Amino acid sequence: MEMAYRARWEAEMAAMRRVLAGFGMHEECKWGKPTYTVNGRNVVIMQGFKEYFALGFFQGALLKDPGKVLVQLGQVHAGRVMKFTSAKDIRAKARTIKAYVREAIAVEQAGLRMAPKKTSDYPVPEELTARFRKDPRFKRAFEALTPGRQRGYLYHFAAARQSATRAARIDRAMRAIFEGRGFLERR
């Protein structure tokens, strides 16, 4: 199984495997990473990053998180991760990890899912609204994008703090939008 920074996190992977043993989950290799499933459904995944090792919970947003240890990476909707810096750190938090994994398995067995975000849930920056008024062809091109592509752009545009930056991001994205491509899509 291939995993970024794998050699760096060997001890942590071994420690995490010991913590996860006994849950009746099946370990598979998905996306090149050790992924644990119950009845074919993804529950947790081990991920090695440059600065930390993580246990990712596919439906982590649905967990209670009393210890406030789950972190949202980027704009991912339901997934959350628990970060670790050493095998010792994992061993010290084994009880907490097990409690979260038990809850994650229960969430999976109950079939719970986050309600998908609708495009209308994303704010439309004033700079984009103004551009749409100025250029109806651009508005039609944006509306012709898939909802996921629209959400990607709305998130990217709104993430800029300054109006000038939002306007510049819209300018740079116009060509891709006219071509029907999403924010992260290459030609």
Side-chain angles (χ1 to χ4, degrees):
M1 99 194 69
E2 181 54 39
M3 185 163 112
Y5 307 104
R6 182 186 172 135
R8 182 179 183 337
W9 301 111
E10 282 294 333
E12 290 73 16
M13 286 175 59
M16 188 61 73
R17 280 190 170 103
R18 284 191 290 279
V19 172
L20 298 176
F23 276 107
M25 294 188 292
H26 177 70
E27 183 180 322
E28 303 177 33
C29 182
K30 294 187 178 184
W31 306 284
K33 298 171 177 77
T35 305
Y36 287 80
T37 62
V38 171
N39 299 326
R41 308 293 305 233
N42 299 330
V43 178
V44 292
I45 185 169
M46 287 190 229
Q47 299 170 285
F49 295 92
K50 185 176 183 180
E51 303 293 328
Y52 60 88
F53 176 81
L55 181 65
F57 293 80
F58 286 93
Q59 296 298 322
L62 296 175
L63 304 182
K64 292 179 181 69
D65 195 17
K68 302 291 180 228
V69 295
L70 296 178
V71 178
Q72 180 178 5
L73 299 180
Q75 60 177 323
V76 76
H77 187 53
R80 299 293 184 271
V81 299
M82 207 180 270
K83 294 181 177 183
F84 306 94
T85 55
S86 67
K88 181 180 177 185
D89 189 21
I90 291 168
R91 287 189 297 274
K93 295 175 181 168
R95 179 174 282 163
T96 300
I97 295 166
K98 288 179 179 184
Y100 278 71
V101 170
R102 264 192 292 282
E103 186 182 359
I105 291 170
V107 162
E108 197 50 62
Q109 288 175 329
L112 302 179
R113 293 286 176 267
M114 291 282 295
K117 268 188 165 182
K118 296 188 276 314
T119 304
S120 60
D121 293 339
Y122 288 78
V124 177
E126 176 53 39
E127 296 81 4
L128 185 59
T129 303
R131 184 63 56 88
F132 286 162
R133 278 196 301 269
K134 244 174 49 181
D135 188 349
R137 209 175 110 247
F138 177 59
K139 181 179 183 184
R140 284 192 302 276
F142 186 85
E143 290 171 345
L145 294 173
T146 63
R149 287 180 174 134
Q150 290 178 21
R151 288 190 296 269
Y153 281 115
L154 290 173
Y155 179 85
H156 176 63
F157 298 155
R161 290 191 197 122
Q162 296 184 357
S163 176
T165 307
R166 287 189 294 273
R169 286 182 177 186
I170 292 165
D171 287 342
R172 283 192 305 271
M174 285 183 73
R175 182 174 174 189
I177 290 170
F178 276 118
E179 292 173 358
R181 287 186 287 123
F183 170 61
L184 296 174
E185 287 179 62
R186 307 252 188 269
R187 280 195 243 191

